[in-house]
Amino acid sequence: MQAKKAIGNTKMNPSVGCVIVKKNKIIGVGSTGFNGIPHAEHNAINFCKENLNKASMYITLEPCSNYGKTPPCVNKIINNNVKKVSFSIKDPDIRSFNKCAKKFKENGILVKKNILSNDIKNFYKSYINYKKQQKTFVTAKLAISKDHFTKNSKNKWITNSFSRGRVHIMRSINDCILTSSKTILEDDPSFNCRIKGFEKRNPSIIILDKNLKLSSKYRVIKQAKKTNTYILFNKLNKKKIKYMKGFKVKFVKIPLNIDGNLDLNIVLSKIARLGFSRVFLESGIKLMSSFLKMNLVNDFKLFISKDKINKNGLYSFNKMNILYLKNKKYKIENINLLGDKLLSYRIK
């Protein structure tokens, strides 16, 4: 639970949970701080009101051994005379990988590894992906009607309020939302978290706008002074860029692929270099189809409404589902949302 608290809000750092126990009593808990600092171990130790002598520490990830924005957690643990450290998996960051055990043993601290390692490996899949391959972890979301349309020409919403609330939670556990200018031009979404308790957990927004069609009248641009916002483009328009920078929008030029579209592999590489490891793809069917076709999606979240929209339906999902999901999907969730359904797939 401690590790889950901060997921999506630690940038390129992992979201870690730490619990300190002494005489069978929990005396300290901590999770990774906003943007990755302080680390969970520091927060848990600082939370303690008791002496840590002979205490045991349980951590979801190997404690760091390197100096970065904070001193090594290993040093802080040693200096506080902790008796035993148990952690789940080794940190894939080469600066810390498999280094803590030796230092702990040299200082008389017992070490136990691989606690619930299979579950934790799945939890840290995006972090491991980022550290080992320098690639972002992409979760794609799509909502469809019962008769498989992705847009209703007569109504803004396809799914119910419970489904939409779940989307806000999904946004909060990712560090950026990736979308297209077409989605913004058609729907003018805010892409923020609008449920109680999550209002301050808005992810950054990254917009694919090849020809710089967006203007300052759209919500995401108006919000850019408060929400970190990037536009990835190709066709240069110096006047528009200069004007939009006044709204604190950041611009990144991306080359085109052979089809004349922004190269999505380069897009994801650039997003990783910007420091984002968890991408939440919210877009229309065209961009979603491209991501699935190119095998760039890790997890896929499909919301299915209990209602049909018949002749008011636009952009059928059927063909894409057959082509890109049928033979790849591994269903990990099937949740009833008061009539609507959420199906979650692990694609890779």
Side-chain angles (χ1 to χ4, degrees):
M1 286 301 294
Q2 290 299 316
K4 286 182 178 179
K5 281 184 179 181
I7 191 167
N9 289 267
T10 58
K11 295 298 286 285
M12 70 288 292
N13 295 300
S15 179
V16 176
C18 178
V19 176
I20 303 172
V21 176
K22 186 174 181 180
K23 295 179 180 178
N24 295 318
K25 182 178 73 172
I26 293 175
I27 62 170
V29 296
S31 56
T32 307
F34 186 73
N35 284 340
I37 53 175
H39 289 186
E41 297 92 328
H42 282 254
N43 284 333
I45 290 171
N46 292 338
F47 176 85
C48 284
K49 303 299 182 184
E50 297 186 32
N51 190 296
L52 270 66
N53 188 42
K54 295 187 178 180
S56 297
M57 184 176 281
Y58 299 88
I59 314 166
T60 55
L61 187 71
E62 177 182 11
C64 69
S65 302
N66 63 291
Y67 281 87
K69 292 182 178 179
T70 60
C73 292
V74 167
N75 293 3
K76 193 169 182 72
I77 293 167
I78 292 170
N79 292 339
N80 279 274
N81 299 314
V82 172
K83 179 183 178 181
K84 181 180 177 182
V85 173
S86 300
F87 65 87
S88 185
I89 62 172
K90 295 173 184 177
D91 189 342
D93 190 324
I94 58 173
R95 297 172 299 175
S96 293
F97 178 76
N98 203 28
K99 293 180 180 177
C100 79
K102 182 180 178 182
K103 291 184 178 181
F104 284 148
K105 287 175 183 177
E106 288 173 351
N107 287 273
I109 298 174
L110 300 173
V111 180
K112 188 172 182 180
K113 309 173 187 177
N114 301 317
I115 308 299
L116 300 173
S117 58
N118 288 334
D119 292 333
I120 294 297
K121 278 181 182 177
N122 185 54
F123 177 79
Y124 282 122
K125 191 170 183 180
S126 62
Y127 174 64
I128 294 168
N129 195 51
Y130 182 75
K131 283 297 177 184
K132 288 189 174 181
Q133 303 179 45
Q134 283 298 296
K135 290 184 178 180
T136 55
F137 187 93
V138 178
T139 300
K141 181 274 297 183
L142 194 67
I144 62 173
S145 62
K146 191 175 182 179
D147 47 354
H148 305 107
F149 292 106
T150 63
K151 194 173 183 67
N152 188 336
S153 62
K154 299 293 184 182
N155 196 324
K156 182 178 181 179
W157 307 114
I158 288 179
T159 52
N160 64 27
S161 61
F162 294 93
S163 294
R164 300 197 296 274
R166 182 60 68 100
V167 172
H168 289 274
I169 295 173
M170 290 177 180
R171 288 173 182 169
S172 76
I173 62 173
N174 288 278
D175 48 21
C176 72
I177 290 172
L178 180 62
T179 191
S180 68
S181 56
K182 186 174 187 292
T183 295
I184 293 169
L185 291 168
E186 289 186 357
D187 301 331
D188 193 19
S190 295
F191 287 132
N192 52 16
C193 302
R194 300 188 297 276
I195 54 177
K196 191 172 181 180
F198 289 80
E199 299 92 340
K200 294 183 179 180
R201 298 188 63 166
N202 294 322
S204 297
I205 298 173
I206 300 176
I207 307 159
L208 304 186
D209 187 8
K210 180 177 72 171
N211 297 319
L212 292 178
K213 292 182 178 179
L214 293 183
S215 69
S216 59
K217 74 176 185 178
Y218 296 97
R219 292 175 184 172
V220 290
I221 306 302
K222 292 176 181 177
Q223 295 166 179
K225 290 182 179 180
K226 294 182 178 180
T227 302
N228 202 18
T229 304
Y230 294 84
I231 290 180
L232 276 53
F233 73 100
N234 179 263
K235 186 177 179 181
L236 188 63
N237 184 331
K238 291 183 178 179
K239 185 177 179 181
K240 177 171 277 193
I241 289 175
K242 183 179 179 180
Y243 173 71
M244 298 280 269
K245 281 184 175 179
F247 291 85
K248 304 300 182 183
V249 177
K250 303 172 184 69
F251 290 84
V252 180
K253 191 173 183 180
I254 301 291
L256 302 180
N257 60 21
I258 57 173
D259 297 319
N261 298 314
L262 295 181
D263 189 310
L264 296 182
N265 281 300
I266 295 176
V267 164
L268 291 182
S269 294
K270 185 61 182 180
I271 290 173
R273 289 197 296 273
L274 290 170
F276 299 107
S277 62
R278 296 173 62 86
V279 175
F280 191 49
L281 178 62
E282 290 195 72
S283 72
I285 197 165
K286 183 178 179 181
L287 182 60
M288 191 75 64
S289 174
S290 296
F291 264 81
L292 287 167
K293 186 176 181 180
M294 294 175 67
N295 198 30
L296 298 176
V297 175
N298 297 90
D299 282 359
F300 189 80
K301 307 289 185 179
L302 181 64
F303 290 87
I304 305 174
S305 170
K306 62 182 178 62
D307 300 318
K308 293 182 178 182
I309 52 179
N310 301 311
K311 64 180 181 180
N312 294 324
L314 301 171
Y315 311 133
S316 175
F317 175 67
N318 261 342
K319 186 177 180 181
M320 187 172 70
N321 182 34
I322 293 168
L323 286 175
Y324 309 136
L325 285 180
K326 189 173 182 180
N327 296 321
K328 296 180 182 179
K329 66 185 181 183
Y330 170 59
K331 194 181 295 182
I332 56 176
E333 274 185 327
N334 186 339
I335 299 173
N336 188 302
L337 296 167
L338 223 65
D340 286 359
K341 188 183 295 184
L342 167 60
L343 302 179
S344 297
Y345 302 100
R346 173 75 25 87
I347 296 181
K348 65 175 182 175

